[in-house]
Each structure stands twice: as structure tokens, then as C-alpha cells.
């Protein structure tokens, strides 16, 4: 069975994560992704230090998270022959993906208007920091500042009275990549159905706002900020974190009336079954009883370890989960059995853990092909040859600095 995107060619001119992670996903789905990488290397190659991971030319797992299954071409955008070769690639490509800012692309002659006029069937895909309009549309963006800080994550997800959270770098980037991959796939469908290319964009800032749409919309109806919240002063005890003897858990009971009797029974509080003051969240809020109920749950749940409560909650079909550390995830067999985690080998032969992209196809299987990232220019000759350039011509382009092999 063929993979969904076999036969699709994507030219990538991008670095770091938000753009390249999207094309890693599309490469997993079968697309041929040609990464035109600076001869000095994508800056992402130097980011392994954030998690103490290797950063070798052929052994770089943090780089691989955004660059599995790609073809690596060492590309000098200022080289005398570089742009002519790029345009030859674009003549037959399905997608051009970039996260360069628009003023830079205009100087390079790679802005949407220019390329759409030359290649009307080409899908033009661009990641931005702050969107396509407004005074700040061309400002640089990173997930930590555009998605995390300005998108409302940092100052709302902490416990009230504590400093803003210090998020894991790349979290917003990978969410953006997954979103962007879906958008690019949609634009490819439009290209194949209608014969024309579209411009598709996503922004880190817009993604942050979309993820927080409910509380942002809720500001219209609240006289003062609702977030950040103290866990003892929330809207409902049904969606909250609680302490067990050995860890924290999260209980998720959106429809509190439906879950209430089951919760108090598993807590051993038969005397509270059907209690009208606690069963109706609106009544609890009106009478100021939410905190009282949370404190009761704290006292009870903290007497036993998570394994004890997991069995109790499961018996009553009340959803809870341990608030996991990353080490807990690696030790969790379900993550491996479902193909969410797998082992792979880098170009050096070293074996590492890889996190799978989150969409799975029957045609691909639980774990996609996992060809690792390679050194800058590893596939330069292979790719240039596939576009009809002879070895002598490639030698000349390497010699004049247009490409690195």
C-alpha cells in the first residue's frame, strides 16, 4: 500500500522547528522533502544542549525530531548558481515551505506574489511569528515569546500567586508544526483537485490564541481576570489536580452531576451521595462550597498512593491520570506499544529514543520509516543529479560555493 503523500515533492527553506517539524511529519507520510540548508547548518543542530543530547553531524536526535526522512542539500542562498537551481526545483515541486520573514523573502525574489506568478500551481507555505497583517506582521518570533508569553500561556497556567511558568522550549513549535502539516496537506488536496496553488500560513501567536480561545473569549463576561487560579479556588472540583501519597493526579469530570455520586462513593463518603449542595456546581459556587469539597478530597486522596486510587477510579469509570514526569512517560509501556515512542539509529549508528508524530495511517503502520538526519549536504549530489545536473556541473557549483556536498 502506498503512503498518503507518495509522489508529492516539498522544497524546504527553513530552520529551527515550527516550519521543519511540519515537513518532517509530511515526510513521514510519504512526501519527498528536500531541505535546502545553510552551508553553516540549521541552527537547530546546536540545540541539543537544552536537554543534554548529542549534537554530532551524524548523531543529533534533537535535530532529527524535525528532520527525519528528509534529503539534505547544503545551500548557499548567495551563491552564483543557487537561485537558478532553486527555481528549477520549484518548476516541478508541489510545495515551497519557508519560515523566513516576508521582507527577507522579497529581497530573495521568493515572496508569494513573485512565485505565484511564475508557478501558479505551487503551494506556498509560510510560518510567521505574528500573522499576515498588522504593524508587527514581519517581526521575528519564537515559540517561547510569540506562542508562550504573548499567547497567554506563561502568566495563566501557573498557580495564582506564583511566578509565570518557564515552559519547555519547542512546545509551541511542535504544536505549530502539526497544525501546519494538516494545513499544507489540505492545500495539496486543493492543488490536485483544482490545478492551482494556494498560499497557506500559520503563526505562533495565532496558534497560542486559538489554544486559549475559551478563556480569551471569557474575558468579555468577567469583571476581573479569572486566570491564573489557585487550585483550591476553581470553578469546579471535577476538573482539578489532587495530591496522592506519592504524586499528583488530575481528575477530569466535565459533567459534574453525572460523576458526583461515583466520586463520593469511591472516596468512601456514602453519606454525601445525592447531596444537593455538592452535586450541582452552580449551587456549590453560589454557596461558596467548591473549596470545601476540594479540601475534603485532598484529605482523602492524600492517604493512599496513586496505584490504589487508579484501581478505585477505574472501577467507577471516573477518569484520572498521574501528572507524569518525562521519566514516567519513557517507562510507560503504552507509549511504546502504541508506537508513540520507538528506538531508532542515527547516521553514526547510535541508538536513541524518538517520539513519533501523532497521526498514524494504516498504510504506514504504527511507526513510520525513520531515516535519520544527516550532515549538511549529505544528499546534495543525489538531488542535483535528479534534476539533470552532471557531475562536472555539480563540482563547479560546489567549487564556487553555491552548494556544499
Amino acid at each position: 500500500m502506498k503512503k498518503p503523500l507518495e509522489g508529492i515533492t516539498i522544497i524546504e527553506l527553513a530552520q529551527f522547528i515550527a516550519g521543519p517539524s511540519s515537513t518532517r511529519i509530511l515526510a513521514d507520510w510519504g512526501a519527498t522533502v528536500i531541505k535546502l540548508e545553510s552551508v553553516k547548518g540549521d541552527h537547530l543542530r546546536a540545540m541539543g544542549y537544552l536537554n543534554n543530547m548529542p549534537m554530532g553531524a551524524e548523531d543529533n536526535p534533537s535535530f532529527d525530531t524535525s528532520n527525519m526522512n528528509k534529503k539534505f542539500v547544503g545551500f548557499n542562498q548567495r551563491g552564483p548558481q543557487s537561485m537558478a537551481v532553486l527555481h528549477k526545483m520549484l518548476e516541478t515541486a508541489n510545495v515551497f515551505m519557508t519560515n523566513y520573514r516576508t521582507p527577507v523573502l522579497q529581497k530573495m525574489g521568493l515572496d508569494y506574489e513573485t512565485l505565484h506568478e511564475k508557478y501558479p500551481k505551487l503551494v506556498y507555505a509560510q510560518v510567521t511569528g505574528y500573522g499576515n497583517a498588522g504593524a508587527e506582521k514581519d517581526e521575528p518570533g519564537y515559540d517561547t515569546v510569540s506562542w508562550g508569553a504573548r499567547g497567554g500561556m506563561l502568566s495563566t497556567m501557573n498557580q495564582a500567586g506564583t511566578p509565570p511558568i518557564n515552559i519547555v522550549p519547542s512546545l509551541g513549535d511542535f504544536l505549530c508544526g502539526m497544525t501546519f502539516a494538516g494545513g499544507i496537506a489540505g492545500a495539496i488536496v486543493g492543488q490536485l483537485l483544482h490545478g492551482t496553488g494556494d498560499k497557506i500560513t500559520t503563526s505562533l501567536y495565532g496558534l497560542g490564541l486559538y489554544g486559549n480561545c475559551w478563556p480569551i473569549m471569557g474575558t468579555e463576561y468577567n469583571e476581573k481576570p479569572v486566570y491564573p487560579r489557585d487550585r483550591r479556588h476553581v470553578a469546579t472540583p471535577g476538573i482539578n489536580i489532587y495530591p496522592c501519597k506519592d504524586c499528583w493526579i488530575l481528575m477530569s469530570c466535565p459533567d459534574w452531576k453525572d460523576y458526583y455520586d461515583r466520586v463520593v462513593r469511591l472516596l468512601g463518603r456514602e453519606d454525601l451521595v445525592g447531596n444537593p449542595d455538592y452535586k450541582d456546581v452552580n449551587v456549590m459556587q453560589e454557596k461558596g462550597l467548591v473549596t470545601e469539597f476540594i479540601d475534603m478530597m485532598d484529605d482523602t486522596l492524600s492517604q493512599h498512593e496513586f496505584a490504589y486510587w487508579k484501581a478505585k477510579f477505574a472501577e467507577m469509570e471516573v477518569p484520572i491520570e498521574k501528572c507524569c514526569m518525562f521519566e514516567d512517560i519513557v517507562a510507560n509501556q503504552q507509549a511504546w506499544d502504541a508506537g508513540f515512542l520507538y528506538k531508532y539509529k542515527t547516521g553514526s549508528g547510535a541508538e536513541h529514543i524518538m517520539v513519533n508524530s501523532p497521526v498514524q495511517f494504516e498504510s504506514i503502520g504504527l511507526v513510520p520509516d525513520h531515516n535519520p538526519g544527516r550532515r549538511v549536504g549529505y544528499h546534495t549530489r543525489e538531488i542535483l543529479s535528479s534534476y539533470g545536473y552532471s557531475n562536472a556541473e555539480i563540482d563547479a557549483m560546489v567549487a564556487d560555493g553555491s552548494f556544499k556536498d
Side-chain angles (χ1 to χ4, degrees):
M1 186 183 297
K2 288 190 175 182
K3 298 174 186 176
L5 293 185
E6 280 191 41
I8 297 297
T9 299
I10 299 170
I11 307 300
E12 172 189 314
L13 185 65
Q15 58 183 345
F16 280 118
I17 304 171
S21 63
S22 70
T23 46
R24 174 254 166 124
I25 292 167
L26 298 172
D28 286 354
W29 297 352
T32 296
V33 177
I34 300 172
K35 183 179 181 72
L36 300 180
E37 183 178 7
S38 164
V39 294
K40 295 181 180 179
D42 187 332
H43 293 303
L44 184 56
R45 290 183 182 270
M47 292 295 106
Y49 79 93
L50 292 170
N51 292 283
N52 299 315
M53 290 194 281
M55 294 184 289
E58 296 278 332
D59 186 21
N60 199 325
S62 61
F63 178 73
D64 288 350
T65 55
S66 295
N67 292 287
M68 299 279 277
N69 296 319
K70 297 181 183 180
K71 299 292 187 178
F72 297 89
V73 174
F75 177 77
N76 176 8
Q77 63 191 46
R78 295 182 176 86
Q81 301 184 69
S82 307
M83 297 308 292
V85 175
L86 171 55
H87 279 280
K88 188 168 186 175
M89 293 178 174
L90 294 177
E91 288 175 3
T92 55
N94 296 93
V95 180
F96 174 66
M97 190 286 291
T98 185
N99 58 7
Y100 284 24
R101 288 179 287 158
T102 298
V104 175
L105 293 165
Q106 289 171 336
K107 290 179 181 178
M108 297 173 69
L110 297 176
D111 55 285
Y112 169 69
E113 289 75 16
T114 299
L115 292 190
H116 185 64
E117 183 176 351
K118 288 183 177 180
Y119 317 110
K121 292 183 179 180
L122 182 71
V123 170
Y124 190 98
Q126 182 184 18
V127 177
T128 70
Y130 296 99
N132 295 322
E136 297 174 75
K137 64 182 177 65
D138 296 324
E139 291 296 310
Y142 290 97
D143 75 317
T144 46
V145 292
S146 309
W147 175 82
R150 195 159 179 180
M153 300 290 175
L154 305 194
S155 292
T156 60
M157 302 303 170
N158 52 308
Q159 292 292 306
T162 66
I165 60 173
N166 192 12
I167 60 169
V168 175
S170 78
L171 176 57
D173 283 329
F174 284 113
L175 294 174
C176 185
M178 187 72 249
T179 302
F180 201 35
I184 293 172
I188 291 171
V189 172
Q191 177 190 68
L192 298 177
L193 287 176
H194 311 306
T196 56
D198 205 345
K199 180 182 180 182
I200 169 179
T201 64
T202 191
S203 73
L204 290 160
Y205 182 44
L207 183 72
L209 271 56
Y210 185 71
N212 283 322
C213 60
W214 281 4
I216 290 171
M217 294 161 65
T219 60
E220 186 177 4
Y221 311 100
N222 297 290
E223 294 181 359
K224 59 182 181 179
V226 174
Y227 296 91
R229 284 175 162 171
D230 185 298
R231 57 168 294 273
R232 296 178 64 247
H233 302 285
V234 291
T236 171
I239 306 175
N240 203 11
I241 54 173
Y242 293 97
C244 292
K245 197 172 184 178
D246 58 342
C247 67
W248 286 85
I249 63 170
L250 184 136
M251 181 176 74
S252 185
C253 303
D255 187 346
W256 183 239
K257 282 185 178 180
D258 182 55
Y259 284 101
Y260 170 77
D261 285 342
R262 285 180 271 170
V263 169
V264 293
R265 282 196 172 102
L266 67 86
L267 294 175
R269 293 299 304 268
E270 294 285 346
D271 58 307
L272 296 179
V273 172
N275 187 304
D277 287 342
Y278 292 138
K279 190 166 186 174
D280 189 315
V281 169
N282 294 320
V283 174
M284 291 179 81
Q285 292 174 348
E286 290 169 4
K287 294 187 175 183
L289 299 175
V290 174
T291 300
E292 176 182 301
F293 194 89
I294 290 171
D295 289 344
M296 182 273 292
M297 289 193 65
D298 283 357
D299 291 341
T300 305
L301 291 169
S302 61
Q303 294 175 22
H304 297 284
E305 296 179 342
F306 171 68
Y308 172 88
W309 288 117
K310 180 67 172 177
K312 289 271 189 183
F313 277 75
E315 184 181 354
M316 289 289 190
E317 297 186 345
V318 177
I320 65 161
E321 264 304 343
K322 178 180 180 179
C323 297
C324 287
M325 302 287 285
F326 298 124
E327 293 76 8
D328 297 321
I329 294 169
V330 172
N332 185 268
Q333 191 59 43
Q334 177 61 24
W336 297 93
D337 291 344
F340 302 150
L341 300 179
Y342 60 88
K343 290 288 186 76
Y344 84 111
K345 289 185 178 180
T346 61
S348 71
E351 188 174 70
H352 302 287
I353 295 171
M354 178 53 64
V355 180
N356 201 353
S357 51
V359 175
Q360 294 171 322
F361 291 85
E362 184 66 25
S363 57
I364 294 173
L366 291 181
V367 177
D369 292 339
H370 36 277
N371 300 300
R374 307 307 294 251
R375 62 169 175 79
V376 179
Y378 184 88
H379 298 104
T380 296
R381 287 187 175 272
E382 174 190 332
I383 293 301
L384 294 183
S385 294
S386 72
Y387 282 94
Y389 294 99
S390 68
N391 284 331
E393 290 172 319
I394 296 170
D395 287 341
M397 289 189 283
V398 170
D400 70 18
S402 295
F403 291 89
K404 178 179 179 178
D405 68 349

